C-alpha cells in the first residue's frame, strides 16, 4: 500500500527532505510539499544585499521548480495539524491525510514582540536584514548614510544564523571604509549574551576581531523597547544605547500553524524533537528538520543539510518498522564574512565547540582564522545551495557527522 508523506514547508529543509525521500523511496510513497507561496528565498544572500553585494532578483526562485518530478506541491498556508487524526488542515480548506509528517516550517520573525520596534522609524531608521523587504530597505538607508552611530542589536535567542549579526558588523566596517567615511561612522554590536558568541573559544576570537575593527561590544543587554523616534534602545534594566540607525534582529518564534496545533509545539512554537534521531517527541510518525526543531544546535542552513541524511534514513526505517538511527551529532559549520574579501570558518557539534585547525581534515579550509579561501567558499556556497544541497545530493568530502581530524582540541581545554 502506498504511504503518504506530507512535508510542511518548502524552504531549505522541506525541499532537500522531499528530494532525498523521492530518490530513496522512488514510487513507494506519495510525497506532498505544502507552503504558503512559491517564493524560495536564498536566505544567506540577505546579508549581502544591504551592501550591494547581492541583488534581490537573484535570491528568489520558484519553490515547486526545486522539487524532483513526482513530488506534489500545494500552494497554501497551513491552518493546523490534527496529530490525533494524522491530518493537516490547509488554509484553503483542503485536508491532507498522512502516514508520515515532516515539519520543516522554519522560524518566524516576530518584530511585533518588542515594544516600539515596528512603530515610529520602522524601515526608515530601524531595520532588519532577516527578510527581503527589510534587507532591501536597509540597502537604501546605508547608501544614504553619511555618518553617525549604527547599532546592530540581537533582541533575543534563538535566531536564524547566529553569526549573521556579527557578519553584518564586519561587512559594515568594510563598506564604510570603501566609501571613505569609516571615521565618521560609529559601529556598535549589542547582544544579550555575555560575550560576542555562544561558545568561549569562538567568542574570544570574534571579540578580538570586533576590537581590532573599532566596533564597540555591549553585552548582557536585554532589549525591552526600541524607540525609533528618539533613536535609542532601552534594556529591561533601564540601560540605553543611542543610535542614528539601528539594525535589529527581532525575536524569533516557530510557525503560527505549529502554535495552532494542539500538543505539537513548545512555548516558543518550535517542535520538541529527539536531537539524534530527529523524530518528534509528540508522535512517532512526525519528524522535524531545520529551524522548526527544538534541538540544542544553531538554526543554520548547514545544520539542515547535515540533518537531511539522518532524517530520510529514519523515515525509511519508521515505515519499515525498524529501529531508528540516532547518529545526528548536531554538526554545524558556518562561514563568517569578516570584510575586505576574507572570512572565517567555524565547525562544531553538540559536544564540541568551535576550535582552530582545518576543515574537513588536516589539509583544508582554516578554522577560526580569516582567509581569502574561506570567503571564496562562502561565495561558492550559493551555487552549491541551488545545485547540490536543495536537490538532496551529498557534497563530496563533507560528512554528516562532524570530522575530528585537523582540529586543535587542546585550545578549548585551555592549551595553546
Amino acid at each position: 500500500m502506498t504511504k503518504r508523506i506530507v512535508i510542511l514547508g518548502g524552504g531549505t529543509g522541506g525541499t532537500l527532505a522531499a528530494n532525498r525521500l523521492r530518490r530513496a523511496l522512488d514510487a513507494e510513497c506519495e510525497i506532498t510539499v505544502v507552503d504558503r507561496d512559491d517564493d524560495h528565498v536564498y536566505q544567506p544572500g540577505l546579508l549581502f544585499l544591504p551592501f550591494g553585494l547581492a541583488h534581490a532578483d537573484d535570491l528568489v526562485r520558484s519553490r515547486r521548480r526545486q522539487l524532483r518530478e513526482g513530488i506534489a506541491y500545494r500552494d497554501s498556508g497551513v491552518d493546523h495539524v490534527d496529530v490525533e487524526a494524522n491530518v493537516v488542515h490547509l488554509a484553503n480548506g483542503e485536508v491532507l491525510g498522512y502516514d508520515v509528517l515532516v515539519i520543516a516550517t522554519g522560524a518566524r520573525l516576530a518584530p511585533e514582540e518588542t515594544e516600539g520596534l515596528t512603530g515610529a522609524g520602522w524601515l526608515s531608521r530601524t531595520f532588519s536584514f532577516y527578510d527581503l523587504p527589510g534587507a532591501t530597505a536597509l540597502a537604501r538607508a546605508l547608501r544614504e548614510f553619511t555618518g553617525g552611530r549604527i547599532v546592530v542589536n540581537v533582541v533575543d535567542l534563538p535566531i536564524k544564523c547566529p553569526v549573521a549579526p556579527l557578519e553584518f558588523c564586519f561587512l559594515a566596517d568594510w563598506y564604510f571604509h570603501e566609501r571613505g567615511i569609516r571615521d565618521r561612522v560609529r559601529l556598535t554590536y549589542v547582544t544579550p549574551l555575555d560575550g560576542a558568541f555562544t561558545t568561549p573559544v569562538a567568542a574570544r576570537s570574534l571579540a578580538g576581531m570586533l576590537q581590532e575593527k573599532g566596533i564597540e561590544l555591549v553585552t548582557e543587554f536585554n532589549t525591552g523597547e526600541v524607540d525609533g523616534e528618539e533613536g535609542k534602545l532601552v534594556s529591561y534594566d533601564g540601560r540605553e544605547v543611542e543610535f542614528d540607525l539601528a539594525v535589529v534582529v527581532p525575536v524569533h518564534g516557530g510557525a503560527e500553524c505549529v502554535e495552532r496545533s494542539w500538543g505539537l509545539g513548545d512555548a516558543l512554537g518550535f517542535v520538541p524533537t529527539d536531537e539524534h534521531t530527529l523524530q518528534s517527541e509528540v508522535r512517532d510518525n512526525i519528524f522535524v528538520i531545520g529551524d522548526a526543531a527544538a534541538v540544542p544546535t544553531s538554526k543554520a542552513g548547514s545544520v539542515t543539510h547535515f540533518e537531511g541524511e539522518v532524517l530520510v534514513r529514519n523515515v525509511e526505517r519508521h515505515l519499515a518498522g525498524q529501529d531508528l538511527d540516532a547518529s545526528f551529532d548536531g554538526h554545524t559549520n558556518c562561514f563568517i564574512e569578516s570584510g575586505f574579501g576574507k572570512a572565517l570558518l567555524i565547525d562544531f557539534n553538540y559536544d564540541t565547540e568551535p576550535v582552530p585547525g582545518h576543515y574537513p581534515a588536516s589539509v583544508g579550509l582554516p578554522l577560526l582564522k580569516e582567509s581569502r579561501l574561506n570567503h571564496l567558499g562562502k561565495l561558492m556556497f550559493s551555487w552549491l545551495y541551488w545545485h547540490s544541497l536543495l536537490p538532496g545530493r551529498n557534497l563530496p568530502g563533507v560528512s554528516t557527522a562532524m570530522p575530528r581530524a585537523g582540529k586543535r582540541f587542546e585550545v578549548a581545554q585551555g592549551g595553546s
Side-chain angles (χ1 to χ4, degrees):
M1 182 178 177
T2 302
K3 298 295 186 180
R4 301 162 299 171
I5 300 175
V6 173
I7 300 174
L8 303 185
T12 305
T15 302
L16 71 87
N19 288 330
R20 282 179 174 268
L21 285 165
R22 176 79 287 162
R23 189 170 64 247
L25 298 171
D26 195 23
E28 299 173 32
C29 294
E30 295 176 355
I31 301 174
T32 303
V33 176
V34 181
D35 211 311
R36 65 184 180 275
D37 59 44
D38 193 39
D39 293 336
H40 186 118
V41 178
Y42 176 62
Q43 295 189 54
L46 296 174
L47 170 70
F48 295 105
L49 201 156
F51 303 103
L53 301 173
H55 301 286
D57 291 345
D58 297 329
L59 303 181
V60 185
R61 299 188 184 184
S62 165
R63 295 188 196 274
R64 69 176 74 238
R65 292 188 63 182
Q66 310 313 311
L67 299 172
R68 294 172 66 92
E69 185 178 352
I71 299 172
Y73 183 78
R74 295 290 192 280
D75 191 342
S76 172
V78 177
D79 185 78
H80 71 282
V81 178
D82 186 336
V83 298
E84 300 286 348
N86 294 327
V87 296
V88 177
H89 293 263
L90 303 188
N92 65 10
E94 187 177 0
V95 178
L96 299 178
Y98 62 83
D99 296 291
V100 170
L101 180 67
V102 177
I103 299 177
T105 46
R108 173 177 58 91
L109 304 181
E112 69 282 356
E113 294 292 326
T114 300
E115 183 180 348
L117 180 53
T118 58
W122 181 238
L123 298 185
S124 62
R125 195 177 186 184
T126 58
F127 303 85
S128 175
F129 65 92
Y130 267 58
D131 61 18
L132 197 55
T136 302
L138 181 53
R140 292 192 297 268
L142 291 182
R143 285 196 301 268
E144 297 169 359
F145 197 78
T146 57
R149 190 182 197 185
I150 296 179
V151 170
V152 179
N153 173 223
V154 177
V155 175
D156 201 0
L157 297 173
I159 60 172
K160 295 184 284 186
C161 194
V163 299
L166 283 162
E167 291 181 281
F168 188 94
C169 292
F170 298 146
L171 289 176
D173 170 65
W174 180 29
Y175 175 79
F176 290 115
H177 266 109
E178 290 290 300
R179 286 183 53 191
I181 61 169
R182 179 63 179 92
D183 60 337
R184 287 188 265 152
V185 178
R186 180 182 176 189
L187 291 172
T188 304
Y189 182 58
V190 180
T191 173
L193 297 172
D194 61 2
F197 195 59
T198 54
T199 55
V201 174
R204 288 196 296 272
S205 295
L206 293 168
M209 288 182 59
L210 289 170
Q211 185 174 15
E212 289 170 10
K213 295 174 182 293
I215 301 169
E216 299 169 274
L217 174 62
V218 177
T219 61
E220 298 182 286
F221 190 98
N222 296 290
T223 305
E225 179 186 357
V226 178
D227 188 336
E229 189 170 7
E230 294 294 325
K232 61 183 179 181
L233 308 177
V234 183
S235 72
Y236 284 108
D237 63 9
R239 286 185 294 160
E240 296 183 356
V241 175
E242 296 182 348
F243 63 81
D244 296 290
L245 187 152
V247 180
V248 180
V249 180
V251 170
H252 285 38
E256 292 178 319
C257 65
V258 172
E259 296 176 348
R260 290 191 295 264
S261 302
W262 187 87
L264 185 58
D266 62 15
L268 296 176
F270 299 112
V271 181
T273 305
D274 185 286
E275 64 189 66
H276 297 296
T277 67
L278 304 175
Q279 184 182 51
S280 82
E281 297 176 4
V282 180
R283 288 289 186 276
D284 63 5
N285 66 337
I286 299 177
F287 294 82
V288 195
I289 188 169
D291 296 350
V295 294
T297 189
S298 296
K299 295 190 181 299
S302 64
V303 175
T304 306
H305 168 67
F306 297 134
E307 288 172 337
E309 184 177 332
V310 174
L311 179 135
V312 168
R313 188 180 302 132
N314 281 336
V315 170
E316 289 185 86
R317 291 189 176 190
H318 170 77
L319 290 171
Q322 300 171 350
D323 292 338
L324 301 187
D325 172 10
S327 66
F328 180 65
D329 65 354
H331 187 197
T332 310
N333 58 31
C334 300
F335 289 103
I336 304 174
E337 280 293 313
S338 55
F340 300 92
K342 294 183 178 181
L344 295 87
L345 177 64
I346 56 176
D347 189 70
F348 56 104
N349 66 9
Y350 290 137
D351 302 316
T352 305
E353 68 168 292
V355 295
H358 290 84
Y359 175 86
S362 55
V363 176
L365 299 172
L367 294 168
L368 272 178
K369 181 179 179 182
E370 286 185 282
S371 78
R372 176 72 175 170
L373 191 59
N374 285 335
H375 171 68
L376 294 174
K378 176 121 181 175
L379 295 182
M380 186 175 67
F381 183 72
S382 173
W383 188 92
L384 291 172
Y385 181 86
W386 295 112
H387 297 281
S388 292
L389 190 148
L390 286 188
R393 301 188 179 98
N394 292 325
L395 302 182
V398 178
S399 63
T400 293
M402 186 202 76
R404 297 185 62 83
K407 290 186 170 64
R408 293 170 51 200
F409 293 102
E410 72 277 5
V411 175
Q413 299 165 355
S416 60

